[in-house]
Amino acid sequence: MSDQSAAPVLAGRGLECAIGSTHVLRGVDIEIAPGEVVALMGPSGSGKSTLLHLLAGLLRPDAGTVTLSGQRLDTQPDRVRSARRLRELGFVFQFGDLVPELTVVENVELPLRLLGEQPARCRERALEMLDRLSVADEADRRLSEVSGGQAQRAAVARALVHWPAVILADEPTGSLDTVTGELVLEALVSAASDQGTAVLLVTHEMRVAAWSDRDIHLRDGAVVDAGVPA
Ligand code: ADP
Ligand code: MG
C-alpha cells in the first residue's frame, strides 16, 4: 500500500533545466512516497523524460534540488551518483539501453552482478522477474534477437531485479499490446505494494494512469495539474 504520509523517498524541488536554448523545466516540484505509484503525463516535448533524468541524477539541474532516501543526489560527485543510482534506483529508458551482445537474462542480472551478488543467485532472481513478465522463454537468446516488446519487458525486469527503493520508468508500456502492457503494470504495481517501491512512470495512456495512485501533468516544463485518476 502507498503511504503518502511517509517522508518522500524521492523529491525534486524547484527544478530548472535548460538544454541548449530551450528552457525545458521551469520550477518543477515533485515528491513520491514509498509504495506510491505516480503517473507522469503530458504532451510530447513537455519535459517528462528530462524530469526523469534529473530525478535519477543522470542530468544535473540548473537550479533546484533532488533528494533520494533523505540525501541530496544532485550535488554529489559523479562516482557517488552512479553508485547510488545502481543501488537505489531502477530506470526504464524510453528508447531502451540494454546491451545487444548479451543475452536477455545477462542483461537482467547486470545490476545484481554489479552489486556483487552470487552469480547463481543473480540468475535465479533474473529468471524469476523474466517469468513474471512472460519472457522467461527468451532468457538465453541474445537481446539483439528478440522483439522490441520482449526487450522492453526485459528492461522492466532489469529495473526491478535488485529491489530498488525507486523505479523511474519512461513509457514502459509504449510499444506493448494491451496484454503485455498489463503484465508490466502488474509487475510495477506489485513491487510498490509488496516491497514499498516508489514508482514514477511516464505515460500518455489513460488506461495506464488508472493503475496509479496519483497523476501529475506537465505542460511546457511546469506542473499544471496533480490529482488522483478518475
Ligand atoms: P517529453 O519526454 O515530455 O517528450 P523531453 O524531456 O524529451 O520531453 O523534451 C523536452 C524538451 O527538451 C523538448 O523541447 C526537447 O526538444 C528538448 N530536449 C530534450 N532533450 C534534448 C537534447 N538532448 N537536445 C536538445 N533538446 C532536447
Ligand atoms: Mg519522453
Side-chain angles (χ1 to χ4, degrees):
M1 275 310 288
S2 73
D3 182 2
Q4 293 175 30
S5 61
V9 62
L10 180 65
R13 301 224 164 77
L15 292 174
E16 302 271 345
C17 181
I19 298 176
S21 58
T22 313
H23 196 170
V24 181
L25 295 176
R26 306 159 182 269
V28 172
D29 292 314
I30 185 168
E31 28 179 80
I32 308 163
E36 244 196 320
V37 180
V38 176
L40 178 61
M41 307 186 76
S44 185
S46 57
K48 304 182 298 295
S49 294
T50 304
L51 177 57
L52 251 56
H53 287 91
L54 286 178
L55 293 172
L58 291 161
L59 203 61
R60 279 187 209 264
D62 294 308
T65 63
V66 176
T67 304
L68 173 62
S69 305
Q71 271 191 302
R72 284 283 290 276
L73 182 66
D74 55 294
T75 47
Q76 291 183 309
D78 288 349
R79 210 161 36 83
V80 179
R81 279 189 298 159
S82 321
R84 293 190 64 198
R85 200 153 59 229
L86 174 64
R87 186 172 299 279
E88 299 171 51
L89 291 177
F91 201 101
V92 181
F93 286 85
Q94 185 171 10
F95 302 111
D97 75 324
L98 300 180
V99 185
E101 295 80 13
L102 296 181
T103 65
V104 167
V105 70
E106 286 166 349
N107 269 284
V108 175
E109 283 176 32
L110 215 51
L112 291 171
R113 295 296 285 256
L114 293 169
L115 289 166
E117 281 277 342
Q118 295 277 338
R121 177 73 192 111
C122 294
R123 186 176 164 92
E124 183 191 2
R125 167 71 179 166
L127 288 173
E128 182 189 316
M129 298 315 299
L130 288 169
D131 186 49
R132 188 183 291 191
L133 292 156
S134 290
V135 274
D137 289 350
E138 317 301 326
D140 293 311
R141 292 177 68 191
R142 268 180 208 278
L143 191 90
S144 54
E145 292 164 357
V146 304
S147 74
Q150 289 165 341
Q152 188 156 7
R153 281 178 282 158
V156 172
R158 189 192 56 177
L160 289 161
V161 79
H162 58 305
W163 302 274
V166 177
I167 290 178
L168 301 169
D170 203 344
E171 309 208 17
T173 60
S175 65
L176 302 177
D177 61 61
T178 309
V179 174
T180 42
E182 296 213 339
L183 285 175
V184 164
L185 294 167
E186 267 165 27
L188 294 171
V189 169
S190 52
S193 52
D194 303 347
Q195 301 159 33
T197 307
V199 178
L200 178 62
L201 67 116
V202 171
T203 184
H204 30 234
E205 296 175 77
M206 282 314 293
R207 73 175 174 93
V208 174
W211 285 71
S212 64
D213 298 314
R214 201 152 60 85
D215 56 40
I216 294 175
H217 294 258
L218 270 191
R219 181 155 306 162
D220 297 329
V223 174
V224 289
D225 184 31
V228 178

